[in-house]
Amino acid sequence: MKKLHKINVIILWICGVLMISFLTISSGLVGATITSDVGMLIGLAVITVLYFSKANDIIKGAGITVIIAIACLATSIAQGGNDATFILSFIMMGMALLYFNKTIIILFIAIYIPICLVAAIINPA
């Protein structure tokens, strides 16, 4: 499972950097873009620390996918709604499913879906 964690972290770093670049180029250096870029960098840093931690594979797998999915959601909220972050959230769901471990999938769903529902009620954009 360590190899899968490594692949997921590398893919997330690539996607995160591309998303930061895309948002910065398309929106410019305004407050919302800086906030969302910093939030995404914090999410990427946290998953990197989690990857190198001594946590068990269930915590690592669920944490890597959930943390970056929440960072994407926060980025979307900071941007006032964004298609790129919506698409990236599906990548997180796919990564959770790649583990083929029902505990990781259930943890991801149990944490991410309620947060999405609350965010949709508070800020539908």
Side-chain angles (χ1 to χ4, degrees):
M1 197 173 285
K2 185 171 176 79
K3 184 177 179 181
L4 186 56
H5 294 319
K6 182 179 180 180
I7 291 168
N8 283 347
V9 169
I10 291 169
I11 290 170
L12 290 174
W13 264 99
I14 292 169
C15 289
V17 169
L18 288 174
M19 189 173 76
I20 289 169
S21 302
F22 170 74
L23 290 175
T24 304
I25 290 169
S26 65
S27 301
L29 285 174
V30 295
T33 303
I34 294 169
T35 302
S36 62
D37 290 352
V38 169
M40 184 55 68
L41 284 174
I42 290 170
L44 290 170
V46 170
I47 66 165
T48 303
V49 169
L50 183 61
Y51 170 71
F52 288 111
S53 74
K54 295 187 186 285
N56 67 27
D57 286 334
I58 301 295
I59 300 298
K60 281 185 182 183
I64 287 170
T65 54
V66 169
I67 290 167
I68 204 69
I70 293 170
C72 286
L73 186 62
T75 298
S76 179
I77 291 168
Q79 291 288 316
N82 190 310
D83 295 340
T85 57
F86 180 72
I87 293 168
L88 194 57
S89 68
F90 281 106
I91 293 172
M92 301 323 130
M93 288 181 214
M95 285 184 171
L97 294 173
L98 278 176
Y99 283 103
F100 294 109
N101 184 314
K102 71 178 183 178
T103 307
I104 293 174
I105 295 167
I106 290 170
L107 281 172
F108 178 84
I109 291 170
I111 296 169
Y112 186 62
I113 298 299
I115 292 171
C116 287
L117 290 173
V118 169
I121 292 169
I122 294 171
N123 185 2

